[in-house]
Amino acid sequence: METFFSKRKTRNSSSPDELRNSHLPRRQASSKKAVISNDIQHVAPTKARKRRNSEPPVVQPRPKRTIKAPERHDILLSQEERMLFQAIRNSEKLTSSVTNLENISDAPTYYPTEEEFQNPFRYLQKIQPEASRFGVCKIVPPASWSPPMCLDNSGFTFTTRTQRIDEVGQGKPFVFGDTQYNLKQYKQVADEFLQKWLTSHGMDPSTATPEMIEKEYWRIVETAPEPVEVLYGADVDTADSGSGFPQATMPGASKHRPALKNSPKYEHYLRHPWNLNSVPYAKESMLRFLGEEVSGVTRPWLYIGMLFSTFCWHNEDHHLYSINYLHEGAPKTWYGVPGEYATDFERMMRSSVMELFHERKGLLSELVTMLSPAVLKANKIPVCRMVQKAGEFAITFAQAYHGGFNQGFNIAEAVNIAPADWLPFGRAALDSYVSFKGQGRFPVFAHEKLVYHACERVNQLPLESQKLVYEELEAIRQIELKMYEDLKKQSMEVAANNALDPALALFLAQERHAIPWEIVPIKMMTTNDVTLNMDMTTSLGLTSRQRTGMANQGRMLKSEDDYQCSCCMRLCFFSALVCPEHNSIVCLAHATLLCNDKSKTGNVKCMCRKQLAFRFPLVHLGKVIDTAKAAYEREKINHSSRGVQ
C-alpha cells in the first residue's frame, strides 16, 4: 500500500504567500519513519489565496518572515561522536523532564452562571486577578450552551503543515505541502494514525487517558530515535473556510450548511456574545476602534488537528488576550506561563537553544520550538497545564506564553480580544519588537491609531475603561514629545541645508520645536478627516493660502501601513520622517538612520530635502486627552449620583 509520506511532494521552500512560519528546506528524513496511511482520493491543489506583500514599508496581518537557514550546529567529526552526543542529550532530558510531568500544577477552571455568561468582558474582568497569575485558564459554559457546528465537512479545503514531533524541541521549521484536504478526508487520515500509533505503543485508543498521551508526546519530543511526522491544519482563515459559529456576512457564511441558516438556533447563536466572530467588536473591546478587520486578530482562524500536532510556545501578537473554542473532537493539552514571567521565559528559551536564537532572533515568533514544562519549572518559571475538551473555552492573558498539542482529531477556532487593561501591554509589545530588527515579529496594526480613536469616542466605553484609555494616549503623547526633542538635537547639524517655508516655521513655533525638516501633513482618505486636518492647520494661525499649500503637499495615504519604519517596522500613525527621493521612511526614534542605506543613496550622503510627516499637531492630542478626561469625570459623577458602583 502506498503510504502518504512515501511519495508526497513537498516544496523546497515556501512562498511568501504561504503561512508565516516555515520556509526552509526540509531536512532529508531517515529511512525509519512513523507513517500515516492514506487510501483516500486527494483533492486537486487549489491556487493559494493572494495576499499583499508584507515587505517594508507595508505591513500585513500576521506577516510572513524570511529567515536565513541556520547552520547545523550538532554535526561532529564522526558518526560515533554524533551518536554519543545524542545519547547524552536524550538521557539528560528523559531524567529531567518526562519523569516530573506529574508535578506541573493545573490551570484554573471557571463555571460562569447563565447571568455571568452574558458578557464575556465583564466575566473576564472578574476572574482576571486570579486567572492571569497562571497565564491561561478554562471556562466551561453553562449547560444551556449548545451552538450549532456550522462547518461543512466537504465545503472547503485547506493545506497542512508537516510537523516532525521528534524535532519540535530543536526549533526546526515545519514544511508545507500542496495537498488539499477537506474535513472528512483529514479526519480519516487523523483517525487512522491515532489507531495505529496508540495500538503499536501499548495503548488502547478507547481507554487512553490524556495523561497517558501526554507522557507519550514528551517521550517522542525528547527521546524518540525515529522520525515522527503528523499533519496540522493551522491558521485557516475563516474568510476562506467559514467559521464554526454562525456568521452574518459573506464569504464565510456561504460555506455553512444550508439547512442551518434559517433555523432559530442559528439566529440565536449568531447574536450570542461568545460568538467568536463578534466578541472582538463588543462594547468593551479596544479592537473595535481599529476601524478595519485584521485576519487572525479580529477575524478568527481555524485550527484542525490530529494526535500530537503541536502549537509551539508563543504569545499573541501585540501581547493580546486570546479566546480559543474547541468545537468538536479530542481534547487539547495546554501549558501556560503568566505574562509577568515572559522575560524570564524568553531568557530560558534562549539559553536552551542558544545557537538558534543567535541566528534567528525572532525564533519564538516562528512557533516552531517546544520545551518541556518540567524544564521551565526546574528553572523557577511558573508553568501550568490545562486539558480543554469539546465545548470549552481556553483563555490566554496579556503577554502570557502558551503552547501545547492535540490528543486526536479536533476542530478549534480562536480570535484575539483586547480589554482596556491590555493597553499598556500593547505599547510594551511594540518596544519588544524593536529588538528583533526585522527578524521575526512585526506589528500587525497601529497601536497609536487604536488608542487615539478610542479616546475620541471614550464616552462609548464603560466607565472603568475610560480612564485607562486617556491615560494610555497621554503616555503615547509623552513618547512623541521626547522623540521631537531628540530629533531637534540630532538635526541641528543639518539645519542650514533645509530652508523652511514661513508657514512651516510658524508650525514649528507653535510646537515649540525648531526642527530643520520640511513639514508635510499626512492627508487622510475621507472628506471628514481632510476637513479635520485643515481645521488643525487653521488653529496654527495660517492664512487660507498657506493652509491649502500645506494640505496639497501632504502624502496621500491609504492607511498608516504606508508609513512603516524601515528600521523597527513600527507603524507610524502620528508622525514619520521621509526622504521622497529615495523612498525611505523611519519613525522619529530612528531619525539618524534615514537615508543610511548605501544601496539606495549610492554610498553618497543624502542631501535631499527631508520631510517630517505628521497627522495631528501634538497640541491637538492634548486637547483630545483633556476632552476625554472631562467626559470621564462627568460620567463618574453621574454614576455616583445614581448609586452605580
Side-chain angles (χ1 to χ4, degrees), residues 458-472:
V458 73
N459 60 339
Q460 299 178 12
L461 291 166
L463 181 64
E464 60 272 14
S465 300
Q466 294 180 13
K467 185 177 181 181
L468 295 173
V469 168
Y470 73 70
E471 287 179 343
E472 179 67 12

Side-chain angles (χ1 to χ4, degrees), residues 70 167-173 353 356 360 363 366 368-370:
E167 293 183 344
V168 295
Q170 303 171 35
K172 297 185 179 181
V353 282
L356 292 180
R360 295 145 64 191
L363 180 62
E366 298 175 37
V368 295
T369 310
M370 204 61 181

